[in-house]
Structures are given as C-alpha cells and as structure tokens.
Amino acid sequence: MSDQTPILVSFPLCPYVQRAAIVLAEKGVAFRRIDIDLADKPDWFLRLSPTGRVPLLRVGDAVLFESAAIIEYLDEVHAPRLHPDDPLTRARHRAWIDQGSALLSDLWTIETTKDQARFDAACASLQTRLSRLAQELGDRHWFGGARFSLVDAVHAPVFRYFDLLEDAGLHLVPPALAAWRGRLMQRASVIGAVPPDYAPRLRAFVMAEGGILSTRLSL
Ligand SMILES: N[C@@H](CCC(=O)N[C@@H](CS)C(=O)NCC(=O)O)C(=O)O
C-alpha cells in the first residue's frame, strides 16, 4: 500500500466508523484501519482529532473528521458515485443522512440509559422515525431506487442493533422496512464493516453499561 492509502481511525462498535468503512468497500478503495480505545484515547489521536471522536480519515497529510463529511469526500473522489446526480434529490438524501444520525442517538439512549422514562421515550421516538423512513422508502429496492446510495450506507449500521434489541423482546422495526433491512445486512460491504465478533462485543458493551436494556437481556 502506498503512503496515500487512506487510514480509518476506528472503534470496533462505532456506527459512524461503519459508514466510512462501507463506502470505502463499495468503491473498492484499499485502506488501513486502526482501532483505538475510546476509554483511553492515544495522544496522537487527540492531536489529530478536533472533536476527540472517531471516525477520522487520514489521506496523505490531511485529516478528515465527521462521518457525513468523510463519506461525501469519498463519494466525490472515488467511483462509482453513490449520491444522486440531481441536486434536489441529493439535498433530500443529505437530510435523510441526518435522520440516520437521529436514529443512532435514540439507539445510544436505548443501549445505555438506566432511566425507564428516557428508555421508553427513546423507543417511541425510534419507532416514529422508523415509520417515517418506511413511508419515504416505499417499495424501492435501495433508498434511492436501483442503486445503493450513501443513505443505504448510513442506515446499515442502524439496523445492526435490532438483533440484540429483539433478543431483549423489543420489536421496533416496522414490517415495511424488513426487506430493506435484510438486503442491507447481506451486503458484502456491510458485513465487512465490523469485526467478526461484533455481536458478542455489542452485547458485552450493553451488559457492562448496566442500563434498562441489560436488565431485559438478562431476563
Ligand atoms: N457526529 C460524529 C459522531 C461520531 C461519534 O459519536 N463517535 C463516537 C464513537 S461511535 C466517539 O468517538 N465517541 C468518543 C467520545 O465522544 O469521547 C460523526 O458523525 O462522525
């Protein structure tokens, strides 16, 4: 690999890192992945990152942060184009990418909170957002139609949480999203975006948090 090989600074469970890993794989771009311990961030990482958060993408001497900016950059410099060509449709897709982050925020609360009222509110919010997403998706194969798009890449890490939630008796995904979820989970770029032991790692993380979800998983 040359010095221009992108380096993705990562954390194995991070859904925002997965966005970048999926887009790199969709484009067949070789990259190096460096996992760091977010509980003990290395000094070199803190020097490079303006926010202290992963992902970071190092390209030559440049460092990019914020997953939405990273995937848009990758989309602009490497074929095939995943964002739509039409500016109006592209703007709508950017807005749905933002909604993907809102889903992750609800999921973080569901994974970690010890407060039953916050847990219930996050489940309700997630369900509302998912049913709006289902209305927008309609019966399309991918979010934008026939071609896999950045919006698909952003939602794949969201759907990865639901196996664990379903183990805890929480069935929050509307049936209208089931086929899209299945297609996303079978996509090679999505499978390869996490380590093979992702599922037990996620479970261990949730159990260690000791929140409402961990109690439901222990029942
Ligand atoms: N808006 C950021 C969110 C990234 C983010 O929240 N990353 C988490 C891991 S999933 C992180 O680095 N957390 C460490 C911290 O906040 O100290 C993005 O899209 O890149």
Side-chain angles (χ1 to χ4, degrees), residues 11 13-17 19 36 38-39 41 45 49 51-56 65-70 101 104 108 161:
F11 177 71
L13 289 177
C14 178
Y16 300 97
V17 166
R19 295 174 170 186
I36 61 163
L38 288 177
K41 297 173 186 166
F45 169 73
S49 168
T51 60
R53 294 177 160 197
V54 291
L56 284 189
F65 66 106
E66 283 297 326
S67 60
I70 291 172
S101 301
L104 289 175
W108 176 255
Y161 290 97

Side-chain angles (χ1 to χ4, degrees), residues 6 16 44 52 91 106 124 136 158 161-162 181 208 210:
Y16 300 97
W44 62 262
D106 288 337
E136 180 67 22
V158 169
Y161 290 97
F162 291 105
R181 171 187 179 180

Side-chain angles (χ1 to χ4, degrees), residues 72-95:
E72 287 230 18
Y73 160 76
L74 290 171
D75 199 41
E76 284 174 17
V77 298
H78 300 286
R81 197 78 209 265
L82 301 181
H83 243 338
D85 295 329
D86 170 54
L88 257 182
T89 315
R90 198 158 61 241
R92 289 181 64 81
H93 276 224
R94 288 195 180 108

Side-chain angles (χ1 to χ4, degrees), residues 153-168:
V154 160
H155 284 85
V158 169
F159 284 113
R160 227 191 268 286
Y161 290 97
F162 291 105
D163 289 346
L164 187 69
L165 297 192
E166 286 161 12
D167 285 352

